[in-house]
Structures are given as C-alpha cells and as structure tokens.
Amino acid sequence: MALDHQANLKRLFGAGLLLGLTLSVWYQVNQIIDGDQLQMIHRGYLAAYQGVWSITGNTASVVGDVPGYLSTVVVALPLLLWDSPYAPIIFLTLIRLWGYLMIDAVIRQAVPGQMMPRLLLLVLLWLNPWVQFDSLLYNPAYLIFCSGLHLYSAWRLKDQRSVFWSFCHVMSIALAIQLHFSWPLLVVISLYLWWRQMIRLNAWGVTLAVMLALLSLLPYLAQWFAAPEIAQHQGGSVRDRYIGWGAANVYPVLKSIIYWLRYGAWAFPSKLVNDAGFDWLTSSHLIEMTLIWAWRVLMWTLGAATLLIALLANVMLFRLVRGYWHRRDGAVFDAHRWLSLYSMGAFLATLVSAALAPLVFNYWHLILILPAALIPVWLWLLRILQPTIGSLLKPLLLAASFLVVVNVVAINDSRKFSWQVSYADQVSAYVHQTFGPPTRERN
C-alpha cells in the first residue's frame, strides 16, 4: 500500500513538472517584446547571421553593460542549430528546468525516500508565479540555473573536497557575472559557506574556474580599460552615487528585506497583479472591471496573509540557527540545519549587497536568492505539518491549482505578457526589419 502511495506521488510529481514546463512555454510565446528582449535578440541574430559576437551583454537600466559573451551565446547558439525564433526560448526553458531539477536534487538527497517534501517544493518553487513570471527572453531569466548550480555544487562539497564540484561552484558565479550585475549575491553566500566551513573547496578546481572566467572576460576587460564608460549607464541615476550608498540610506536595505519575505509569500510583482486585465475572458466592460478589482483584492489579501507566514517561517529559521550561524565548527551533517544555514547565508548576502549597491533593488535584482528565500517556508511547513503529512496532499493540490490560475491570468494579460501578441511574429518582424532577408542559408 505504501509503495502504491509513493508511486502515485511520483506520478503527481511528474505531472507537476510537466505542468510547470507547459506554463513556461505558454509564458514565452505570449511575451511582449521590448527593450531587454530586443537587446538579446539583436546580439544573438547579429552573431548567428553575420558572425559579429558582442563582448558585452545587456545594458543594465542604471549601471552600464554586463560583461561577456554569454548573453549572446544563449541566443546565437540555438539559432545556429535551428534558425527559428523558437530556438532561443526552447533553450531558455530547458535551462530553467535544469536549474530547478538541481534544486530538487538537493531536496531529494536531504530527505531520501520521501516524495511529499519534493512535491511541496515543486508547488512553492516550480509553479510559483515569482519564478514563472520570469519566463521571458531576458538575462535574469537564466539565473535560476546559476542558483541551482550554486546550491547543488555547495551541497556536494559539504562532505568532501572535489575538483569537479569546486569548479562547478565557482562557475555558477562566473556564469552569473556574464548575465547580471546581481552576481555578488552568490559570492557572499559562498564566502559565508567557506568561512562557516560548510563547504570544502578544492584549490585546483577553484583556480581552474577562476582562470577560465578571467579568460572569457579578457575582451571586455580590455575594452573597459580603454573606455571605462561602458560600465556606466549614460545619464543613469546612479552616476554620482558610491559603493556603500545603500548602507547610508534606510530604504534600499529595508526594501531588500521586504523582497526576501515576499519571495517566500504570495505577494507577487505588481506587474502581475495590478496590470492584469480580463478582456480575454469577457467583452463586457462591467464584468471586466468587476473581475479586475476582485482579482486585486484577492491577491492583496493573500499577499498580506502569506507575508505573515513567511515572517513566522523566517523567525523559526533564525531560532533554529541561533548560536550556530556564526560558528566555524566544521561541516554540518544535519540536512535541515545545512539548508537553514545556506538560507541564512543568502539573507546575509541580501543585506550586504543592498548595503553596498548604489541603487535601490527591484525584484529581478535579487532573483538569484529566490530559492534560498523559500527554504524557511519549506522547512516551516514540513515541521508544522509533519504529524499530518499524509493529509497534506489535498491542500497542496488546491495551492497548486490556485498558482496555476494566477499564472494563466498573468500569461494572458499583464505588463509583460498578452494573449493578443505572438512572440514569433514580433521576433520575425524585428529581424526582417533590422537584418533584412537572412544572409545565410536556413535549414
């Protein structure tokens, strides 16, 4: 009987995985192409069609050009394999799935033989609109892979030194450097884990990864030395600010703490909640406005309620690690405590980064630590529901159903997605207008 129950849970897990993948693809094909995506598309097609590989990535909204080739490679390489607007988003969807599966692998090893904790994480993370709403062709969308690789490689390094996993751990940071300026978050987490003696790094693996990362950045560094302005957004609001500006102002750090709690709650981005419309469901203006305000009230209420849950979960976690988080007493062998301390390291990274940054963070600036911000809630739910873990399935299915509804609303009408647009048509029109007829043979 128990075996049949576990088999049913595994089938549910597979169905949930496929459901999240379907939502990701649906988001991708309904995305509204604008500045960030156009930067990725332009550089990718320029490399694939004309062989011109940009040594910089996307221009950030306030702090200049992201270094490196990677944000060009992730678009151009799929195009070289299949000349279709769909190629880059298929690659992105698979990369994001891989990132989630690495996080799931940590949970699978932390609670071996138990499916309910994995199903809980699937609902909290993989079906989470915070994650799914990022399913569009811009550089932060790739960061869940870096988060997954960072967590999984750290988990593998908790018991033994390994050249390969030390290399992978540092490469998770190196890849993030070429995707987004939020990479210091992972650096601070790694420094905390190393200082806390929770990971055992191999010097050869670290050295090899650092050398490879520096080699990939040499063209950018050469241009930066020749023209330092590429690291500064012209006319940006932070040009006169300084490292440590966030610490001198209360709001940047406070806002980052609020995002930490929001990531663990159903207090989703305002672009998802306030900008949602329902013209795809009805042609009646009265019904549409009724649905819009009912939606907003529901989401605001649930956001406030779940923020309290996230706060309670974090209080429980801090109590769990109190007296342990600052010790340097060797490896941590209890899986729940190790995950708690990893989450603590991510919270410290959030505070440090917000204090040092010359800007006020938005949610995409901190998306690297979203999986770590969910750990307190995951642990808290497991703890309080442990006596009734067998009856958790129905509430979990209800939560999953609600999150699917939220995602469907966001997919069809929100700030970044609409049922009235076609991703492929937008890309094809832009490519034809910018590059004209393709200069290389299409397969």
Side-chain angles (χ1 to χ4, degrees):
M1 194 71 175
L3 290 176
D4 290 341
H5 181 64
Q6 286 297 311
N8 289 335
L9 293 181
K10 287 181 179 179
R11 283 191 284 270
L12 276 175
F13 180 84
L17 204 62
L18 183 60
L19 177 59
L21 200 60
T22 302
L23 291 171
S24 295
V25 173
W26 196 359
Y27 267 110
Q28 295 278 8
V29 298
N30 276 19
Q31 64 182 293
I32 301 169
I33 301 297
D34 62 11
D36 285 330
Q37 293 108 306
L38 288 178
Q39 289 190 67
M40 302 279 289
I41 292 164
H42 182 84
R43 289 196 315 278
Y45 274 91
L46 190 64
Y49 280 8
Q50 300 179 8
V52 179
W53 295 79
S54 173
I55 63 172
T56 64
N58 275 21
T59 299
S61 55
V62 290
V63 288
D65 296 341
V66 175
Y69 294 99
L70 187 58
S71 57
T72 298
V73 171
V74 293
V75 176
L77 184 59
L79 287 172
L80 289 170
L81 296 175
W82 179 37
D83 188 0
S84 167
Y86 293 110
I89 63 172
I90 291 173
F91 179 76
L92 172 57
T93 303
L94 294 176
I95 281 291
R96 289 171 59 79
L97 175 62
W98 190 359
Y100 167 74
L101 289 176
M102 286 189 284
I103 299 169
D104 171 69
V106 172
I107 301 305
R108 186 175 68 246
Q109 295 174 27
V111 282
Q114 299 183 44
M115 283 302 303
M116 285 305 295
R118 294 178 64 193
L119 278 171
L120 179 59
L121 181 76
L122 184 141
V123 173
L124 290 176
L125 182 59
W126 185 233
L127 299 182
N128 193 330
W130 275 112
V131 174
Q132 292 291 345
F133 194 68
D134 243 15
S135 296
L136 69 164
L137 194 65
Y138 81 141
N139 43 333
Y142 297 85
L143 293 179
I144 189 174
F145 175 83
C146 300
S147 298
L149 182 59
H150 189 271
L151 174 60
Y152 186 69
S153 58
W155 176 262
R156 295 298 298 264
L157 290 167
K158 71 184 180 67
D159 296 324
Q160 59 179 351
R161 300 181 194 276
S162 164
V163 174
F164 177 74
W165 290 114
S166 295
F167 174 83
C168 289
H169 190 72
V170 177
M171 284 305 298
S172 69
I173 300 171
L175 294 173
I177 288 173
Q178 296 205 24
L179 290 170
H180 200 256
F181 281 112
S182 59
W183 58 268
L185 288 163
L186 296 184
V187 173
V188 176
I189 298 173
S190 294
L191 288 174
Y192 172 75
L193 297 176
W194 172 78
W195 176 84
R196 181 59 182 73
Q197 298 183 5
M198 288 173 58
I199 56 174
R200 302 176 179 182
L201 294 169
N202 179 279
W204 290 108
V206 171
T207 302
L208 180 60
V210 170
M211 291 178 63
L212 184 60
L214 288 175
L215 186 64
S216 69
L217 292 173
L218 281 179
Y220 175 86
L221 293 173
Q223 184 170 335
W224 178 67
F225 281 120
E229 60 270 15
I230 67 170
Q232 296 179 344
H233 189 274
Q234 299 302 311
S237 60
V238 301
R239 289 179 59 83
D240 297 326
R241 295 181 187 173
Y242 51 89
I243 300 300
W245 177 84
N249 297 269
V250 175
Y251 180 63
V253 177
L254 178 61
K255 187 179 182 183
S256 297
I257 294 173
I258 293 172
Y259 271 129
W260 174 270
L261 295 175
R262 286 182 64 185
Y263 285 155
W266 288 353
F268 302 124
S270 60
K271 294 178 181 180
L272 184 156
V273 177
N274 296 337
D275 295 324
F278 293 88
D279 58 342
W280 52 284
L281 283 181
T282 177
S283 58
S284 168
H285 179 71
L286 178 61
I287 296 176
E288 183 183 343
M289 294 306 299
T290 302
L291 289 172
I292 287 173
W293 281 104
W295 169 258
R296 291 181 182 179
V297 171
L298 173 63
M299 297 308 297
W300 292 338
T301 303
L302 281 174
T306 53
L307 270 173
L308 291 176
I309 293 175
L311 179 60
L312 289 173
N314 276 275
V315 169
M316 187 207 78
L317 181 135
F318 292 147
R319 287 179 176 175
L320 180 65
V321 302
R322 184 176 55 190
Y324 293 95
W325 72 271
H326 59 281
R327 292 183 183 178
R328 300 193 68 197
D329 55 1
V332 179
F333 296 102
D334 178 76
H336 283 193
R337 180 164 292 166
W338 191 94
L339 288 169
S340 299
L341 289 169
Y342 183 94
S343 181
M344 183 69 184
F347 180 71
L348 293 174
T350 302
L351 298 181
V352 171
S353 298
L356 294 178
L359 71 156
V360 179
F361 287 155
N362 285 306
Y363 74 86
W364 57 87
H365 294 128
L366 295 168
I367 208 73
L368 270 169
I369 54 90
L370 190 150
L374 283 169
I375 289 175
V377 177
W378 180 80
L379 287 170
W380 183 74
L381 288 173
L382 282 185
R383 183 173 180 177
I384 66 170
L385 297 173
Q386 190 63 43
T388 58
I389 196 73
S391 60
L392 179 61
L393 187 57
K394 287 185 179 179
L396 206 57
L397 291 175
L398 286 174
S401 300
F402 172 75
L403 293 179
V404 169
V405 170
V406 174
N407 281 306
V408 170
V409 171
I411 285 168
N412 284 286
D413 198 359
S414 58
R415 179 80 64 85
K416 297 182 178 181
F417 305 91
S418 173
W419 64 280
Q420 295 176 310
V421 304
S422 164
Y423 158 80
D425 289 346
Q426 293 173 89
V427 173
S428 297
Y430 176 79
V431 171
H432 188 271
Q433 179 183 1
T434 305
F435 299 99
T439 57
R440 63 185 182 84
E441 184 180 352
R442 293 174 182 258
N443 293 325

